[in-house]
Amino acid sequence: MKQHAIVIIGGGPAGLAAAISAAEQGEKDILILERDRELGGILNQCIHNGFGLHTFQEELTGPEYAARYIEKVERMGIPYLTDTMVLDLSSEKVVTAVSPTEGIFQIQAQAVILAMGCRERPRGALNLPGYRPAGIYTAGTAQRLVNVEGRMPGREVVILGSGDIGLIMARRMTLEGAKVKVVAELMPYSGGLKRNIVQCLEDFGIPLKLSHTVVAIHGKERLTGVTLAQVDHDGRPVPRTEEEYSCDTLLLSVGLIPENELSKNAGVALSSATSGPVVDESFQTSVNGIFACGNVLHVHDLVDFVSEEAANAGRRAAEYVRETSGESSEKRMKCGESRKDLPESQAACEEWTAKMPEKEVSGILDILPGDGVRYTVPSVLHLAQMGETLKIRFRVRKEYKNSCVTVHAGDRQLFRRRKQIFVPGEMEEAVIRREDLNAALPADTITIRIEEV
Ligand SMILES: Cc1cc2nc3c(=O)[nH]c(=O)nc-3n(C[C@H](O)[C@H](O)[C@H](O)COP(=O)(O)OP(=O)(O)OC[C@H]3O[C@@H](n4cnc5c(N)ncnc54)[C@H](O)[C@@H]3O)c2cc1C
């Protein structure tokens, strides 16, 4: 069996940023495994601009953003294998992969970074009544056909779902000469970024019908039309609100699901809210030495945040490798083997023991989504490994106007920020300071909630 210090599964923006950051920490033995024929992930098919405003203060296209990271990976000489699909991952960090040149092979990794991205929810998950005619695509598949393969899926289009991919494809299909008749959204709000609603729908006069869904699909060989209806608060169609739209193409943009089959095989605990791994402040999962970042962890709206998180995961994975190699690993064992009970690293263990009176600090806090918050990343904090600050990312459950996000540990408020509007389509963040948290101890939980003003 081959051996590598860090194996990264997935060569999209998350995998690339994690690899660069681990290498910058001095880790030399890294391998990226990518099933596609090239690195870059989903960005390769996103030829619109809007990427990199936070990271590079420039508006780049998806391939341009990816190229900056790919060039750096090449320059730093970080090894990668493309056309290589990971088939299995065990809890002992044995990676089983297959490629046309190598056949099936196995790698024993010291640390693994999960960066497999996510997949689109297909028609089968929606219970749409009707035959199964040609002409029904997920929006991402249509995007690949148009932008990479150079093929048009159809000429008259209805889009179900107003997440960012659906909005971007409404504009893309229009620019390629198709007529996009309507975008229907089940929820009373759009799942996409405001800027995409303006730039992709409003600028092109494409109607957005909120609280609407497809209730019938027409056509047997090829799609000939769909029926839309309004839905009530429970998502049930309202009688006599049906409207027929003739079309040859229906694009589905009805949600992304983190790609976690491999994580499940490895025994990684998944969150029911995100469908991604539960991670701590180091982006380490419930399995020692397995880290997660990017869309496999939770679906991001902006790639810049993917790169930022992944860089942290890469840095922490490199630290993990250093600390579990040789002498320090023995010392670490003295601190206990269960990472749920004690700090992970030897250095952290010493700091924890030296600085924190046991009665004051349990060492581990759960980060909980309170009122109005759907999930948080991370959801566990090992105090001993917290830096000066901790950034908590989250999404709200519904639209809130003129409200505050607050973070509390016990009764003490650690963070408060007022905002005109919170929407589920936009990822939010709150930053807490170590100093403030120390003052709130002892506490077992940190709770983040939305308070309507
Ligand atoms: C249509 C669309 C439009 C977007 N628009 C914007 C935008 O305007 N601005 C913005 O900032 N962000 C945008 N995003 C979001 C951004 O592209 C994503 O957040 C980002 O690509 C996620 O990075 P990732 O590395 O986690 O996943 P991905 O890019 O999906 O990469 C995952 C990689 O893992 C590989 N992989 C999966 N399973 C395996 C396996 N078993 N073995 C080997 N390899 C595997 C995949 O082939 C893929 O290359 C958009 C996304 C989409 C889909």
Side-chain angles (χ1 to χ4, degrees), residues 164-304:
D164 289 318
I165 315 180
L167 300 176
I168 280 158
M169 281 313 289
R171 177 176 64 184
R172 188 77 193 108
M173 295 295 282
T174 307
L175 291 174
E176 287 299 325
K179 171 77 188 157
V180 177
K181 296 194 162 173
V182 65
V183 175
E185 167 60 58
L186 182 74
M187 305 306 286
Y189 48 80
S190 164
L193 295 170
K194 180 73 185 156
R195 75 173 196 212
N196 283 337
I197 296 173
V198 174
Q199 292 170 8
C200 300
L201 299 189
E202 291 173 8
D203 285 359
F204 293 88
I206 300 168
L208 170 63
K209 285 192 164 247
L210 299 174
S211 300
H212 275 73
T213 192
V214 172
V215 291
I217 284 181
H218 309 295
K220 201 164 178 186
E221 299 299 323
R222 173 87 203 192
L223 185 71
T224 56
V226 296
T227 306
L228 296 189
Q230 201 181 327
V231 294
D232 62 19
H233 290 307
D234 298 322
R236 279 191 303 257
V238 178
R240 293 179 297 284
T241 60
E242 295 86 356
E243 285 174 278
E244 303 255 325
Y245 285 86
S246 67
C247 58
D248 58 16
T249 305
L250 173 66
L251 300 189
L252 304 174
S253 175
V254 288
L256 298 167
I257 308 164
E259 186 85 67
N260 275 298
E261 300 313 313
L262 297 173
S263 323
K264 283 186 211 156
N265 293 354
V268 165
L270 300 183
S271 148
S272 57
T274 60
S275 304
V278 173
V279 293
D280 65 9
E281 70 299 319
S282 305
F283 296 93
Q284 191 167 197
T285 68
S286 60
V287 178
N288 243 337
I290 300 186
F291 297 76
C293 54
N295 274 359
V296 80
L297 177 57
H298 60 137
V299 175
H300 291 68
D301 45 8
L302 294 181
V303 72
D304 307 66

Side-chain angles (χ1 to χ4, degrees), residues 10 13-14 34-35 41-43 48 51 86 116 143 165 295 303:
E34 168 54 52
R35 70 179 170 195
I42 196 79
L43 292 187
H48 56 281
F51 297 84
V86 175
M116 292 92 76
Q143 186 182 50
I165 315 180
N295 274 359
V303 72

